[in-house]
Amino acid sequence: AGFMLLAQVVRIGTIGAAAPAVLEERVKAGWEPPILGFSCGPGLVIRLCGRDSNVTSTSLRRMGRRLFPVFEAPHNSLAPMLARHSEGGRVPVFWSIRANRYGHRQSWKDFPVSSECLVKTSTGRKVLVLEADATNADDPLALGAKALDLTIDDASQGFRRIHDVFQAGCSAAPTASVPNKSLVRTLRVYLGNSMEVFRSGGGYTYTLRHRVRYAKEVDVLIDSRAPVLSEILRWCERATAAQKGGRKIVLFQTSSREYFLNLQLLMAKYGYEIHDPLDWRLLTELKGSGAKEGEWREGPKGASTESAH
């Protein structure tokens, strides 16, 4: 009996010693649910991020544990985020699901369903806040025409599945603030290109803004292009102020064909002509027009003429 007791003590000690390592691995893999209660403050914001999200890295520094992102199959790019916020692998930082599985029940198994996750409004009711970052992490200027990571379809399926999970959970264990499932309300926020173009099965084209307006898949649509476009237009206005002849020409140097064509098409809507600095035909035309010195000023970062890098 004494030997068996000693064996049990040793086993318990071994399990206890291994527990921190197991927890750390689960945190790194995104298998640990968020810590609720005092650590996350007044409610939790759940954000769908796709494979990567530059916006979320900034948000975590500002919001701390109130934000709980959801990533697809964690990879090395998330290591800095874990090092900064997991306190040595002891605190869960994100939830992990497989790609294209936002609408699968298995993706949200063991995800905590509690009224503590809901954000209290000014009227005293609680709201489930869901966000989606559909910007492209490798496109810092947000000039890409299509969402290449998280899409509106992914976000819509994820929002619906999470809402269903919370409705079922809160109905099973009602509280004073959430007495039944009909009062589990959601605030769905989507960050992406509002002018992203889609094509229907019948061959008709429509934008993300039109889809949101009629399908009601999200409550708030934030245009990721708006702040970038505003700064580009402000700079172009200053840069072309001295040009004469009615044309507003900007030379844009980039190694990305997609970037160039996207910006060229976008800026044409505002009356600007975007050209490549190696377009000798245009340069010869400008030289022949007798442009005076001073009509072309130095662009940003030392670019020659009105060339933007």
Side-chain angles (χ1 to χ4, degrees), residues 54-188:
N54 293 332
V55 174
T56 298
S57 299
T58 302
S59 299
L60 278 171
R61 288 196 292 268
R62 296 176 178 176
M63 300 175 63
R65 298 179 192 172
R66 284 194 59 207
L67 175 65
F68 197 69
V70 178
F71 286 98
E72 296 177 8
H75 41 81
N76 292 336
S77 66
L78 300 180
M81 183 184 299
L82 282 166
R84 186 178 298 113
H85 302 286
S86 70
E87 297 185 10
R90 298 190 302 272
V91 177
V93 178
F94 63 87
W95 188 256
S96 173
I97 66 173
R98 295 175 61 183
N100 304 318
R101 296 295 182 93
Y102 290 92
H104 287 227
R105 186 185 303 273
Q106 189 68 21
S107 298
W108 309 103
K109 183 182 178 182
D110 299 328
F111 196 88
V113 176
S114 168
S115 61
E116 294 181 8
C117 295
L118 308 182
V119 176
K120 191 174 183 179
T121 67
S122 58
T123 61
R125 293 182 176 179
K126 291 193 174 183
V127 177
L128 177 63
V129 180
L130 305 175
E131 298 181 346
D133 175 18
T135 57
N136 300 326
D138 57 351
D139 183 11
L141 292 182
L143 296 178
K146 300 288 290 184
L148 303 178
D149 191 353
L150 188 76
T151 66
I152 181 63
D153 292 320
D154 294 330
S156 179
Q157 293 173 23
F159 287 165
R160 189 177 299 114
R161 175 57 66 185
I162 297 172
H163 183 219
D164 289 346
V165 169
F166 270 82
Q167 277 197 155
C170 290
S171 296
T175 64
S177 57
V178 189
N180 57 66
K181 70 178 183 179
S182 65
L183 293 182
V184 179
R185 301 184 178 184
T186 57
L187 174 63
R188 301 162 299 176

